[in-house]
Amino acid sequence: MRNLLVLVSVFAVGHCHLCLLSPPQRGSMSGINTPAASDCILTTDPCGGRQPGRDATFYGRGENITVTFMKNLDHFNKTNPGKFVISLSERQTVAPVVLATVPDGGEPSLHIYTVKVQAPREPPNTMHFLQVTYEPNNAQAPKAFYQCSDVGFEPRP
C-alpha cells in the first residue's frame, strides 16, 4: 500500500497543471475538468513551448479584459505560498509586461480564477501573447507552469 501511495504522489507531482480558459489557451482544452489534465502540463517558458496558433482573440486598445484560468492541480505551499502572474508580450519580445499578480490562497484543484486586466492603450500593430504563469513555490513541484493565448489589439471608436 505504501508503494502505491508513493507512486500516486510521484504521478501527481509530475503532472500538475494550469489551464487558461479565456482567452482560450494555445492547443486543445481536452479533459481540463479532470485534475491533472494532460493538456495543461506546460513547464517551459514561454508558453509551455507551444507555438503561436492561427486563431487569436482581438480586443480594443485600453479595453478591460477578463482573464479566466484554472488551477488544475493544487500545489499550495502553506509556509511560503506561490502566485499566479498574468503578463503580456509581443511575440518577438522575451520580456513580458506584468498585468496582474494573484496569490495562491490554497484553493483546491479545479478552482477557477477570474481577473480583470486592462489592454495597453497604445500597443504596436503586432500580435501579442497573454501568458498566465503558476509559480507554486513548492519544492515538490516544478518551478512554474505556463499557458498562453494569442491576442491582438485594434483601435475602437
Side-chain angles (χ1 to χ4, degrees), residues 33-132:
N33 290 330
T34 303
S38 62
D39 203 36
C40 297
I41 181 168
L42 303 175
T43 58
T44 304
D45 188 25
C47 301
R50 286 190 173 163
Q51 297 302 309
R54 287 188 275 169
D55 297 325
T57 303
F58 286 87
Y59 298 98
R61 293 180 181 171
E63 182 177 335
N64 287 326
I65 300 171
T66 300
V67 179
T68 306
F69 57 95
M70 174 195 296
K71 181 199 300 186
N72 187 256
L73 193 62
D74 181 34
H75 283 286
F76 181 67
N77 179 350
K78 188 165 71 171
T79 306
N80 193 5
K83 63 185 174 184
F84 299 89
V85 178
I86 301 170
S87 59
L88 183 69
S89 181
E90 287 185 62
R91 285 191 179 166
Q92 301 83 4
T93 306
V94 292
V97 174
V98 174
L99 302 176
T101 302
V102 178
D104 182 0
E107 297 80 6
S109 298
L110 303 182
H111 183 80
I112 294 176
Y113 301 82
T114 301
V115 180
K116 291 198 181 287
V117 297
Q118 188 172 37
R121 295 192 184 284
E122 297 297 326
N125 291 326
T126 60
M127 290 304 298
H128 290 72
F129 63 87
L130 184 133
Q131 178 170 266
V132 179

Side-chain angles (χ1 to χ4, degrees), residues 133-153:
T133 306
Y134 176 24
E135 301 171 4
N137 201 26
N138 186 331
Q140 301 302 310
K143 183 177 177 182
F145 305 93
Y146 305 90
Q147 285 291 351
C148 284
S149 180
D150 296 300
V151 295
F153 303 99

